[in-house]
Amino acid sequence: MATITDVARAAGVSVSTVSHVVNGTRHVNEATAALVRDAIERLGFVPNAVARSLVRSSTDAVGIAISISTNYYFNDIVSSIERACAAIGQLVFLCDTQNDPETELRLVRELVQRRVDGVILAPSCDPENRAIDYLKSARMPFVLVDRLTVEDADGVCLDNEAAMETLIDHLVGHGHRRIGLIAGEPGLLSTIERVRGYVGAMRKHGLEIDRSLMSEGNANSADACQSALEILGRADRPTAIASGNNLATIGVMRAVRDLGLRIAEDLALIGFDDFDWADCFEPRLTVMAQPSETIGMQAAEMLARRIKSSTESVRQVRLPAKLVIRRSCGCGGH
């Protein structure tokens, strides 16, 4: 295997000149740089990534700590982040936190120890924010995604309260007054904000907030199904249900099937996340589509800026969602 000394000898330059060309640490005139690049290609020289990172104080790698195994929604965000990072030459290390605070903290520590240049984090429901505090103490550039659990850190997510309010407005506009809620995973900021949006919208329309029609935390589709069975199994069941995420929507649909009800005819259903198969059901699902690609792209761009400058003002962005009207809400969308 060719060494940097071999390249220097073949190009007729010093080892330090080769190093400057490879690492971009100092300007080298174009004619000399061309000789070095030609020698590198002829000899098949592969720079040592670790050595380069020590010279440049950069690994050209970022970490993503996100609960990708518990919610399909994060797949699109991660894909968008990876594309944005690849476009500027950054490698991505993906860590699955499983929405578990202990796992999250351990993985964030390992990313820092592996000298990544920055971290994109979807915080779990840790009330102590230990992973965030660790990133701060390590002076590691980081960006929050999906859940802005602290105010003094860069981040991008959905405007959850406004999105849920839009869902309730849509149902109320079609005559519904008893509207149930099957929220997402308990303790997560996104769940808390969507519950807040539901309550605010019901009050805005002067409707009773019946806590017995609300299930404010469901960790998975099975939990959501059980909650929906209890709410829909009562004599005075709601005429509509809003679900807090795609897993909650699936749980509600299972409960509707088990009770022999018909979506759109017996119950209006409307929820979050326009996952790939949302329009494959019959009736097709009316959903609040989150701008996943934009969230991921902006998170990657924020992190790149923060890596370059630690003195920039903190930016937190909340993006609007889009109501995709199909048929599950009972209004015959298209």
Side-chain angles (χ1 to χ4, degrees):
M1 181 180 294
T3 67
I4 192 171
T5 303
D6 297 329
V7 173
R9 186 179 298 114
V13 299
S14 67
V15 169
S16 63
T17 298
V18 175
S19 176
H20 291 317
V21 172
V22 170
N23 296 307
T25 48
R26 184 179 299 173
H27 174 71
V28 177
N29 73 69
E30 184 53 36
T32 302
L35 290 173
V36 172
R37 288 192 294 268
D38 179 68
I40 288 173
E41 185 174 350
R42 284 188 289 107
L43 297 175
F45 172 66
V46 179
N48 185 309
V50 174
R52 290 181 65 191
S53 71
L54 292 173
V55 171
R56 298 169 55 240
S57 299
S58 172
T59 58
D60 288 328
V62 300
I64 304 176
I66 198 166
S67 183
I68 196 168
S69 65
T70 62
N71 197 324
Y72 319 120
Y73 155 68
F74 283 126
N75 290 337
D76 292 337
I77 290 181
V78 169
S79 294
S80 179
I81 292 172
E82 288 180 326
R83 288 195 300 273
C85 289
I88 57 176
Q90 288 177 324
L91 183 67
V92 170
F93 292 107
L94 176 60
C95 298
D96 182 6
T97 66
Q98 301 173 45
N99 270 337
D100 175 66
E102 296 296 335
T103 302
E104 174 183 73
L105 179 59
R106 175 177 59 81
L107 292 174
V108 164
R109 282 174 171 164
E110 290 183 3
L111 287 171
V112 172
Q113 290 165 7
R114 281 163 173 72
R115 297 175 56 87
V116 295
D117 294 337
V119 172
I120 294 175
L121 171 68
S124 68
C125 52
D126 183 359
E128 298 178 19
N129 289 319
R130 288 173 295 169
I132 293 175
D133 287 346
Y134 178 79
L135 289 167
K136 290 178 179 178
S137 66
R139 299 184 181 276
M140 172 62 65
F142 71 97
V143 170
L144 304 179
V145 68
D146 191 62
R147 305 151 193 167
L148 307 186
T149 53
V150 296
E151 296 181 354
D152 60 341
D154 298 319
V156 56
C157 73
L158 184 73
D159 189 342
N160 289 296
E161 288 191 47
M164 179 59 81
E165 183 175 336
T166 298
L167 290 185
I168 303 305
D169 289 346
H170 180 74
L171 292 170
V172 171
H174 285 80
H176 295 282
R177 296 297 179 267
R178 285 182 61 75
I179 302 171
L181 173 68
I182 306 294
E185 185 157 352
L188 293 181
L189 182 61
S190 53
T191 300
I192 294 169
E193 291 177 341
R194 290 172 193 179
V195 171
R196 194 182 300 151
Y198 166 88
V199 171
M202 295 289 281
R203 285 177 176 160
K204 179 181 70 174
H205 292 289
L207 300 177
E208 177 188 3
I209 299 171
D210 185 345
R211 294 287 174 178
S212 68
L213 300 183
M214 299 172 60
S215 177
E216 300 186 29
N218 299 272
N220 50 52
S221 61
D223 289 348
C225 178
Q226 184 58 44
S227 297
L229 284 171
E230 294 171 4
I231 291 174
L232 296 175
R234 48 192 291 170
D236 58 343
R237 68 172 181 255
T239 62
I241 281 188
S243 64
N245 62 22
N246 50 28
L247 297 178
T249 300
I250 293 169
V252 174
M253 295 181 70
R254 287 174 176 161
V256 169
R257 176 201 60 194
D258 292 349
L259 292 170
L261 300 175
R262 297 166 301 170
I263 293 176
E265 286 84 1
D266 300 320
L267 175 78
L269 174 61
I270 191 167
F272 274 78
D273 304 333
D274 194 18
F275 42 94
D276 290 343
W277 20 281
D279 64 348
C280 296
F281 294 105
E282 185 54 43
R284 296 184 303 150
L285 298 179
T286 296
V287 295
M288 185 61 73
Q290 302 194 57
S292 304
E293 184 170 344
T294 303
I295 289 174
M297 188 71 68
Q298 290 204 14
E301 292 173 353
M302 279 186 182
L303 184 60
R305 286 196 298 269
R306 181 57 63 191
I307 290 170
K308 289 180 180 178
S309 173
S310 61
T311 59
E312 283 194 11
S313 299
V314 168
R315 292 181 62 238
Q316 291 197 339
V317 176
R318 289 185 177 270
L319 300 173
K322 177 183 179 182
L323 180 61
V324 180
I325 300 174
R326 298 189 179 106
R327 293 193 59 250
S328 67
C329 58
C331 63
H334 53 277

